[in-house]
């Protein structure tokens, strides 16, 4: 897990796929920065007080599927680190199929960071996409979590 704005990278190595390296990395990240704590995933939609922002964030996922990302939507540090990674996900997005839904399921405030979790259903996969937005609405971090 990498969080450029927090100057934090957690690497977990396991010798098996069943080692749950991602989950362990997320838990270790939360020890350093409580705002990164992974809460049980609520699957029920919540009221969206900013549908325009949701459409913008959904657009990031749709652009990523084309191997594109708009640097203006990110903090400079996050853009430098995350955009190449997003662009590299083009093939992975092709394999999961078309996006079927993008629904807000969690919103919380951690100091000056707004954390938003969306349940994103694709034809062959469901993931949570967690966005960390600074006080200006710029993306500080994005995390994907498999829900299957």
């Amino acid at each position: 897990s990498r969080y450029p704005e927090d100057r934090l990278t957690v690497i977990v190595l396991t010798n098996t796929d069943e080692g749950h390296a991602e989950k362990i990395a997320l838990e270790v990240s939360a020890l350093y920065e409580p705002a990164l704590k992974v809460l049980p995933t609520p699957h029920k939609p919540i009221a969206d007080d900013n549908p325009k922002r949701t459409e913008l964030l959904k657009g990031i996922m749709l652009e990523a599927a084309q191997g594109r990302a708009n640097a203006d939507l990110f903090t400079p540090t996050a853009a430098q680190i995350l955009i190449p990674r997003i662009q590299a996900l083009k093939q992975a997005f092709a394999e999961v199929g078309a996006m079927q839904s993008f629904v807000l399921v969690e919103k919380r405030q951690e100091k000056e960071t707004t954390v938003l979790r969306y349940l994103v259903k694709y034809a062959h996969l469901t993931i949570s996409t967690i966005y960390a937005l600074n006080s200006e609405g710029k993306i500080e971090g994005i995390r994907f979590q498999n829900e299957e």
Side-chain angles (χ1 to χ4, degrees):
S1 296
R2 186 171 178 103
Y3 306 94
E5 294 299 316
D6 293 315
R7 300 176 51 98
L8 173 66
T9 299
V10 176
I11 299 170
V12 176
L13 303 175
T14 66
N15 60 357
T16 174
D17 287 341
E18 288 80 32
H20 304 289
E22 181 180 349
K23 182 179 178 188
I24 293 167
L26 294 173
E27 290 173 1
V28 171
S29 299
L31 293 173
Y32 174 79
E33 175 55 61
L36 301 174
K37 182 176 173 82
V38 176
L39 302 174
T41 305
H43 292 285
K44 294 181 181 175
I46 63 171
D48 190 346
D49 64 350
N50 193 333
K52 191 173 185 175
R53 176 182 57 205
T54 293
E55 283 302 311
L56 182 76
L57 297 174
K58 178 180 178 181
I60 291 170
M61 299 297 288
L62 294 171
E63 288 287 306
Q66 303 300 314
R68 299 188 305 258
N70 180 350
D72 294 337
L73 302 176
F74 295 80
T75 64
T77 303
Q80 181 181 13
I81 294 167
L82 296 174
I83 288 179
R85 291 178 176 202
I86 289 169
Q87 292 168 335
L89 290 173
K90 181 179 180 181
Q91 180 60 36
F93 280 110
E95 293 173 7
V96 299
M99 183 187 294
Q100 297 176 339
S101 65
F102 187 88
V103 179
L104 181 64
V105 294
E106 178 185 1
K107 177 184 176 186
R108 68 182 193 274
Q109 196 68 34
E110 299 288 343
K111 298 180 185 170
E112 299 205 10
T113 300
T114 301
V115 179
L116 303 164
R117 179 190 299 250
Y118 291 86
L119 191 63
V120 187
K121 291 187 180 184
Y122 292 94
H124 307 294
L125 181 70
T126 300
I127 62 170
S128 282
T129 303
I130 301 102
Y131 296 92
L133 307 177
N134 69 11
S135 59
E136 298 172 358
K138 300 275 186 176
I139 296 170
E140 296 178 336
I142 299 175
R143 185 172 70 230
F144 304 105
Q145 182 176 323
N146 191 338
E147 292 296 327
E148 296 180 347

